Amino acid sequence: MTEAGLTMLNRTADNVARATPEPLAKRIRGISDKGLAWLFISPTILLLLAINIFPLFWAIYLSFTNYRANRPNEAVKNLGLANYRRILGDQDIWIAMQTTAHFVFWTILLQTVIGFTLAWLIDRKFRGHAFWTTIILVPMMLSPAVVGNFWRFLYEPQIGLFAYAVSFLTGIPPTNVQMLSNVELAPWAIIIVDTWMWTPYVMLICLAGLRSIPEYIYEAAEVDRASNWRQFWSITLPMALPFIMLAVLFRGIENFKMFDMVNLLTGGGPGSTTEVASITLKRQAFESWRTGYSSAFAIILFVAVFGLANIYVKALNKVKQR
Amino acid sequence: MKSTWKLALGLTSAALASTAVSNAAHAEDLTLCWAAWDPANALVELSKDFTKETGIGMKFEFVPWTNYADRFLNELNSHGKLCDLIIGDSQWIGGAAENGHYVKLNDFFDKEKISMDDFVPATVVGYSEWPKNTPNYWALPAMGDVVGWTYRKDWFSRPELQKEFKEKYGWDLAPPTTFDQLKQIAEFFQKRQIDGKTVYGASIYTERGSEGITMGAMDVLYSYGFQYENPKKPYEMDGFVNSEKSVKGLEFYKALYDCCTPPGSSNAYMGEGVDAFKSGQVAMHMNFAFTWPGLQKDENVGGDKIGYFVNPKGPDGDQFAQLGGQGISVVSYSDKQESALKYIKWFANKDVQAKWWSLGGYSCLNSVVKDPKFPSSQPYAQAFLDSMAVVKDFWAEPSYAPLLQASQKRFHDYVVAGQGSAKDALDGLVKDWTQVFQDDGKM
């Protein structure tokens, strides 16, 4: 800094000191850096406590009771672990968990394979690749409510374009293509929509991974006369793997909680075929009003997601360190 | 300058005074909460007379059916003051009474000489009483409703169809009086070409999320012999809910769904039913009677083209129909209970009830529905009267919500998803309902 600059800075500091009322200046001077830091972050901490931590502990407390939100006047009884025992012994809950696992598995598999392939293709930087990237990203930018309603109409067997497209390709009458009413097809109807909507997200993360691979590694491989396949298998895939795993983590957590899409498309039906854990939780909490019971279920889901995500993150870190 | 100040001061005072007056007037406004549907619009029209007579303004909070229960039960559970008056669903009455959400109206009825004997008995039991069949009143019957059927009179009257039908089934094509007849008609129309368009047999309730499939299946089950509990021993359900007759009834509902509904109708309730009928897709349509005035006025399917019939009889001649409708209650958390009670008193008036019916609401007052002119007052009036004579209602227990969710799941799993048998579904239902009553300490 120049001398003139220093003089100006000193002058400004003097001005600020003069302008600050004496008692306040003294008080501020008396606070340590740590104290000042606490002062600044305490509103955020208080908000976090009020919005995240308190409800979590409150839910844990409720999970041991028979509390029902629609019976505020009823005495709350402590049930110990009864809610947890009942959930773990409830066949319907296990079916919902299986349904959730089915969705998570297939959506992640399809989104990862298609997303990575698209990213790999876009990374070729062909003519118009920026345009196509934008087009591919559009579904991800839409609201799930819009996507759900939009696909519900597409799947409509009497007027929906999807049924007509399938009919055109297979010769099956469109009215027989009942994606949302058929027990076999309904889960796939949701998997298709979720894949359509969220593959671009996986593609974007994979694209970032592919673009982070230094060009000189490929140049060295070229010098070593490595084939394209060898380059892909030994350079592209291993170096992009942490990014792919990150995308899988994000989508896995999101799809474990999947609610809006299922609710809009099938509402859990036909029957309970597409009733994922979040739909069961909503029914128990806000339709049957079993608040204590549903709190216990929410805690079980939270522990499951948290535990699995932690194991996965450890694996991800190992891959990154390689 | 002085005069300018005076003028400004005068105008400000006048403005403040008028605001105060208008605030005072608004302070007396009552808010009535209900579902957003055609009868609610009729009530807005009707309530203008109340404002004229009493000077009490009326505000309305109408919520679509899909959110109606969530919205208002949350409001009541949180002791909210939004609603001074509420037209709550019939099955809420137990919970609302036991949790103190509604004002008990017995003393008020006695004071104002409002007698429950003046109302259709089924609506008093269904909309007002808790515990059922005891003289404890929490609501005034407000909107009578019941599940019935509409049919395409114009299709039924086509000579070529009548001839073909008679040859096939041996009886005249006419509104069915039994469920077997209803299924034959539905089969006859299923995937038939009429005026160059493929049509289907019947639209029935299959909705999973709220109460749809239960309201539909119960219509058949009641008439087949289903009973909620042992008439001699409360909450004893085994052998009643899952009786052989109930099993047959549920099997019939599934058969009707499989054979004769339009493609993709696996989640249909009131709105979807109206759409199917209005768009000329179906020959018959199951729905609550509140939809009838709107359908009657419809240019494409209303007028001479539409007919109405009561829910048909079961194999043993039993005939019941699912009760809908609601009573009007004063919310106990309201600060304007006195004005709200004035509204109830006004609404119970004979002339007001007559006007209510003429505007499209369904009055529950005997003097209206037993008027000799009533059956001919509307093309659907007789079907409504006959239907109201055979109503049954779902559990109105404080725990109606988990009871309803259980039946929704069991019925949908079997009827729509085809999982297990009717016996499995009803045995499962007994198990679920038993659990609910055990949780409540009633078993």
Side-chain angles (χ1 to χ4, degrees), chain B residues 77-306:
Chain B
N77 290 331
S78 59
H79 298 192
K81 290 179 186 289
L82 170 73
C83 314
D84 302 302
L85 288 155
I86 193 163
I87 305 191
D89 234 347
S90 56
Q91 64 269 29
W92 301 0
I93 201 91
E98 291 200 1
N99 292 311
H101 299 326
Y102 293 170
V103 171
K104 194 172 182 185
L105 298 172
N106 286 50
D107 292 344
F108 166 73
F109 284 167
D110 291 344
K111 190 179 140 205
E112 298 297 340
K113 310 260 182 298
I114 297 171
S115 168
M116 286 294 104
D117 294 340
D118 293 340
F119 290 83
V120 175
T123 66
V124 177
V125 178
Y127 311 152
S128 303
E129 288 180 356
W130 184 259
K132 294 289 169 201
N133 301 306
T134 66
N136 294 286
Y137 306 117
W138 305 89
L140 182 91
M143 169 75 195
D145 207 357
V146 57
V147 174
W149 294 77
T150 63
Y151 70 100
R152 287 298 298 267
K153 212 176 187 177
D154 53 337
W155 295 356
F156 276 46
S157 59
R158 290 187 180 199
E160 73 279 11
L161 294 183
Q162 284 193 334
K163 188 170 170 256
E164 190 186 331
F165 186 86
K166 178 104 187 207
E167 280 168 10
K168 195 169 179 187
Y169 296 103
W171 58 281
D172 289 330
L173 178 58
T177 54
T178 67
F179 273 116
D180 280 343
Q181 288 180 347
L182 183 136
K183 188 156 171 268
Q184 285 175 9
I185 296 171
E187 279 168 346
F188 178 73
F189 279 104
Q190 183 74 1
K191 292 191 180 167
R192 180 169 286 274
Q193 292 286 317
I194 292 186
D195 301 333
K197 196 175 160 190
T198 308
V199 304
Y200 301 92
S203 164
I204 60 173
Y205 290 161
T206 56
E207 186 253 11
R208 167 72 171 90
S210 60
E211 56 174 22
I213 196 165
T214 304
M215 296 293 106
M218 281 303 181
D219 280 291
V220 175
L221 286 169
Y222 293 144
S223 300
Y224 267 73
F226 169 98
Q227 283 183 294
Y228 284 104
E229 57 195 335
N230 183 345
K232 291 172 191 160
K233 195 176 174 198
Y235 306 118
E236 186 182 89
M237 294 169 283
D238 199 23
F240 296 89
V241 166
N242 55 352
S243 67
E244 220 170 280
K245 289 177 177 182
S246 303
V247 170
K248 290 246 160 53
L250 194 57
E251 281 170 350
F252 177 87
Y253 200 70
K254 178 172 173 50
L256 192 61
Y257 169 74
D258 287 340
C259 79
C260 308
T261 53
S265 48
S266 59
N267 202 21
Y269 197 24
M270 299 181 273
E272 288 78 7
V274 167
D275 289 345
F277 194 79
K278 273 189 172 181
S279 60
Q281 266 192 72
V282 289
M284 293 176 291
H285 158 229
M286 158 196 274
N287 220 332
F288 282 108
F290 83 86
T291 58
W292 297 351
L295 291 173
Q296 182 64 39
K297 283 183 214 147
D298 190 87
E299 282 178 10
N300 298 319
V301 299
D304 294 340
K305 294 177 185 165
I306 191 171

Side-chain angles (χ1 to χ4, degrees), chain A residues 35-143:
Chain A
L36 204 62
W38 274 108
L39 197 70
F40 282 127
I41 61 167
S42 54
T44 312
I45 288 178
L46 284 175
L47 265 177
L48 270 175
L49 282 171
I51 295 168
N52 285 359
I53 311 297
F54 170 73
L56 177 68
F57 281 100
W58 188 242
I60 292 172
Y61 160 70
L62 290 179
S63 72
F64 297 109
T65 68
N66 68 339
Y67 178 67
R68 285 186 271 190
N70 66 335
R71 307 267 190 98
N73 303 333
E74 210 170 75
V76 179
K77 277 189 216 154
N78 192 335
L79 300 179
L81 290 170
N83 283 332
Y84 288 91
R85 271 200 298 271
R86 198 157 137 188
I87 288 165
L88 296 174
D90 188 338
Q91 205 194 341
D92 290 341
I93 297 278
W94 285 108
I95 291 172
M97 295 298 267
Q98 277 172 24
T99 308
T100 310
H102 179 262
F103 278 121
V104 172
F105 176 78
W106 282 108
T107 49
I108 286 182
L109 182 71
L110 291 172
Q111 287 168 24
T112 309
V113 172
I114 302 171
F116 183 77
T117 310
L118 285 174
W120 186 76
L121 288 172
I122 293 285
D123 196 40
R124 304 292 90 196
K125 289 182 184 148
F126 55 88
R127 195 178 154 84
H129 74 277
F131 170 76
W132 288 110
T133 309
T134 313
I135 292 289
I136 293 169
L137 290 178
V138 167
M140 188 183 92
M141 295 169 188
L142 299 172
S143 140

Side-chain angles (χ1 to χ4, degrees), chain A:
Chain A
M1 194 179 275
T2 61
E3 202 173 318
L6 266 173
T7 318
M8 205 163 161
L9 204 67
N10 285 335
R11 244 185 248 155
T12 312
D14 287 346
N15 286 342
V16 170
R18 248 178 271 134
T20 310
E22 192 58 24
L24 182 65
K26 263 186 189 167
R27 254 185 278 148
I28 291 174
R29 272 187 225 119
I31 295 175
S32 66
D33 284 354
K34 210 173 171 183
L36 204 62
W38 274 108
L39 197 70
F40 282 127
I41 61 167
S42 54
T44 312
I45 288 178
L46 284 175
L47 265 177
L48 270 175
L49 282 171
I51 295 168
N52 285 359
I53 311 297
F54 170 73
L56 177 68
F57 281 100
W58 188 242
I60 292 172
Y61 160 70
L62 290 179
S63 72
F64 297 109
T65 68
N66 68 339
Y67 178 67
R68 285 186 271 190
N70 66 335
R71 307 267 190 98
N73 303 333
E74 210 170 75
V76 179
K77 277 189 216 154
N78 192 335
L79 300 179
L81 290 170
N83 283 332
Y84 288 91
R85 271 200 298 271
R86 198 157 137 188
I87 288 165
L88 296 174
D90 188 338
Q91 205 194 341
D92 290 341
I93 297 278
W94 285 108
I95 291 172
M97 295 298 267
Q98 277 172 24
T99 308
T100 310
H102 179 262
F103 278 121
V104 172
F105 176 78
W106 282 108
T107 49
I108 286 182
L109 182 71
L110 291 172
Q111 287 168 24
T112 309
V113 172
I114 302 171
F116 183 77
T117 310
L118 285 174
W120 186 76
L121 288 172
I122 293 285
D123 196 40
R124 304 292 90 196
K125 289 182 184 148
F126 55 88
R127 195 178 154 84
H129 74 277
F131 170 76
W132 288 110
T133 309
T134 313
I135 292 289
I136 293 169
L137 290 178
V138 167
M140 188 183 92
M141 295 169 188
L142 299 172
S143 140
V146 172
V147 172
N149 280 316
F150 169 65
W151 275 89
R152 207 148 50 88
F153 285 114
L154 285 182
Y155 282 143
E156 168 52 51
Q158 295 189 68
I159 52 164
L161 282 179
F162 187 88
Y164 277 91
V166 173
S167 173
F168 179 75
L169 295 172
T170 61
I172 301 168
T175 49
N176 287 2
V177 185
Q178 299 187 20
M179 291 297 288
L180 301 178
S181 309
N182 185 297
V183 176
E184 307 290 330
L185 298 176
W188 290 101
I190 296 165
I191 291 169
I192 289 170
V193 180
D194 195 75
T195 302
W196 177 82
M197 187 171 178
W198 291 112
T199 295
Y201 178 78
V202 177
M203 183 198 86
L204 215 55
I205 295 177
C206 291
L207 195 60
L210 291 173
R211 298 238 164 118
S212 72
I213 303 171
E215 199 57 38
Y216 67 83
I217 299 180
Y218 288 108
E219 286 165 5
E222 290 281 342
V223 171
D224 290 342
R225 295 191 172 187
S227 65
N228 281 346
W229 175 246
R230 185 74 190 167
Q231 285 181 31
F232 175 80
W233 199 244
S234 302
I235 301 168
T236 310
L237 200 57
M239 296 200 77
L241 193 59
F243 289 86
I244 297 171
M245 287 183 74
L246 204 63
V248 167
L249 176 70
F250 290 155
R251 290 309 309 145
I253 292 173
E254 277 299 309
N255 280 3
F256 200 88
K257 304 184 297 185
M258 178 157 46
F259 175 80
D260 38 17
M261 198 79 79
V262 183
N263 199 37
L264 281 160
L265 284 170
T266 62
S272 310
T273 319
T274 59
E275 190 164 313
V276 288
S278 57
I279 297 270
T280 308
L281 181 60
K282 178 236 180 189
R283 286 200 205 289
Q284 291 294 338
F286 302 112
E287 288 170 14
S288 292
W289 296 101
R290 289 174 166 145
T291 316
Y293 180 82
S294 54
S295 296
F297 188 29
I299 299 297
I300 289 173
L301 287 179
F302 172 73
V303 169
V305 176
F306 192 73
L308 288 172
N310 259 324
I311 294 167
Y312 189 86
V313 167
K314 277 186 186 150
L316 177 65
N317 286 336
K318 273 187 191 159
V319 171
K320 272 166 70 184
Q321 281 161 8
R322 267 195 296 171

